[in-house]
PDB file of all heavy atoms in Angstrom:
ATOM      1  N   CYS A  29      14.815  -3.012   6.218  1.00 98.00           N
ATOM      2  CA  CYS A  29      15.807  -2.981   5.141  1.00 98.00           C
ATOM      3  C   CYS A  29      15.075  -2.829   3.814  1.00 98.00           C
ATOM      4  O   CYS A  29      13.947  -3.311   3.660  1.00 98.00           O
ATOM      5  CB  CYS A  29      16.630  -4.268   5.145  1.00 98.00           C
ATOM      6  SG  CYS A  29      17.990  -4.215   3.952  1.00 98.00           S
ATOM      7  N   LEU A  31      16.385  -4.074   1.034  1.00 98.00           N
ATOM      8  CA  LEU A  31      16.754  -5.234   0.212  1.00 98.00           C
ATOM      9  C   LEU A  31      16.229  -6.520   0.854  1.00 98.00           C
ATOM     10  O   LEU A  31      15.770  -6.510   2.003  1.00 98.00           O
ATOM     11  CB  LEU A  31      18.280  -5.308   0.056  1.00 98.00           C
ATOM     12  CG  LEU A  31      18.957  -4.119  -0.633  1.00 98.00           C
ATOM     13  CD1 LEU A  31      20.452  -4.384  -0.812  1.00 98.00           C
ATOM     14  CD2 LEU A  31      18.325  -3.811  -1.978  1.00 98.00           C
ATOM     15  N   CYS A  33      18.112  -9.911   0.679  1.00 97.00           N
ATOM     16  CA  CYS A  33      19.153 -10.839   0.231  1.00 97.00           C
ATOM     17  C   CYS A  33      18.721 -12.275   0.537  1.00 97.00           C
ATOM     18  O   CYS A  33      18.196 -12.552   1.622  1.00 97.00           O
ATOM     19  CB  CYS A  33      20.467 -10.546   0.941  1.00 97.00           C
ATOM     20  SG  CYS A  33      21.058  -8.873   0.608  1.00 97.00           S
ATOM     21  N   CYS A  36      20.394 -13.555   3.659  1.00 95.00           N
ATOM     22  CA  CYS A  36      20.436 -12.580   4.764  1.00 95.00           C
ATOM     23  C   CYS A  36      20.609 -13.295   6.116  1.00 95.00           C
ATOM     24  O   CYS A  36      19.851 -14.201   6.447  1.00 95.00           O
ATOM     25  CB  CYS A  36      19.156 -11.763   4.784  1.00 95.00           C
ATOM     26  SG  CYS A  36      19.140 -10.551   6.127  1.00 95.00           S
ATOM     27  N   THR A  38      20.369 -11.715   9.007  1.00 94.00           N
ATOM     28  CA  THR A  38      19.515 -11.065  10.019  1.00 94.00           C
ATOM     29  C   THR A  38      18.104 -10.887   9.435  1.00 94.00           C
ATOM     30  O   THR A  38      17.618  -9.759   9.302  1.00 94.00           O
ATOM     31  CB  THR A  38      20.087  -9.691  10.443  1.00 94.00           C
ATOM     32  OG1 THR A  38      20.270  -8.889   9.265  1.00 94.00           O
ATOM     33  CG2 THR A  38      21.385  -9.821  11.202  1.00 94.00           C
ATOM     34  N   SER A  42      14.742  -7.790   8.029  1.00 98.00           N
ATOM     35  CA  SER A  42      14.438  -7.581   6.603  1.00 98.00           C
ATOM     36  C   SER A  42      13.213  -8.399   6.171  1.00 98.00           C
ATOM     37  O   SER A  42      12.129  -7.857   5.981  1.00 98.00           O
ATOM     38  CB  SER A  42      15.658  -7.944   5.744  1.00 98.00           C
ATOM     39  OG  SER A  42      16.063  -9.278   5.993  1.00 98.00           O
ATOM     40  N   GLY A  72      19.570  -4.948   9.233  1.00 97.00           N
ATOM     41  CA  GLY A  72      18.804  -4.010   8.453  1.00 97.00           C
ATOM     42  C   GLY A  72      19.657  -3.010   7.672  1.00 97.00           C
ATOM     43  O   GLY A  72      20.836  -3.210   7.454  1.00 97.00           O
ATOM     44  N   ASN A  99      24.336  -1.163   3.266  1.00 98.00           N
ATOM     45  CA  ASN A  99      24.388  -1.885   1.983  1.00 98.00           C
ATOM     46  C   ASN A  99      24.719  -0.943   0.815  1.00 98.00           C
ATOM     47  O   ASN A  99      24.790  -1.374  -0.331  1.00 98.00           O
ATOM     48  CB  ASN A  99      23.090  -2.669   1.728  1.00 98.00           C
ATOM     49  CG  ASN A  99      21.855  -1.764   1.645  1.00 98.00           C
ATOM     50  OD1 ASN A  99      21.932  -0.581   1.307  1.00 98.00           O
ATOM     51  ND2 ASN A  99      20.687  -2.326   1.959  1.00 98.00           N
ATOM     52  N   LYS A 116      25.771  -5.293  -2.507  1.00 98.00           N
ATOM     53  CA  LYS A 116      25.288  -6.661  -2.691  1.00 98.00           C
ATOM     54  C   LYS A 116      25.437  -7.096  -4.152  1.00 98.00           C
ATOM     55  O   LYS A 116      25.038  -6.396  -5.080  1.00 98.00           O
ATOM     56  CB  LYS A 116      23.813  -6.756  -2.260  1.00 98.00           C
ATOM     57  CG  LYS A 116      23.625  -6.398  -0.781  1.00 98.00           C
ATOM     58  CD  LYS A 116      24.453  -7.306   0.134  1.00 98.00           C
ATOM     59  CE  LYS A 116      24.285  -7.024   1.612  1.00 98.00           C
ATOM     60  NZ  LYS A 116      25.446  -6.412   2.272  1.00 98.00           N
TER      61      LYS A 116
HETATM   62  S1  LIG B   1      21.126  -5.698   3.012  1.00 94.54           S
HETATM   63 FE1  LIG B   1      21.755  -6.746   4.882  1.00 94.54          FE
HETATM   64  S2  LIG B   1      19.958  -6.714   6.239  1.00 94.54           S
HETATM   65 FE2  LIG B   1      19.262  -6.168   4.176  1.00 94.54          FE
HETATM   66  S3  LIG B   1      18.535  -8.111   3.338  1.00 94.54           S
HETATM   67 FE3  LIG B   1      20.688  -7.835   2.693  1.00 94.54          FE
HETATM   68  S4  LIG B   1      21.909  -8.899   4.259  1.00 94.54           S
HETATM   69 FE4  LIG B   1      19.836  -8.609   5.102  1.00 94.54          FE
END
Side-chain angles (χ1 to χ4, degrees):
C29 186
L31 299 184
C33 300
C36 180
T38 55
S42 57
N99 61 26
K116 299 302 181 251

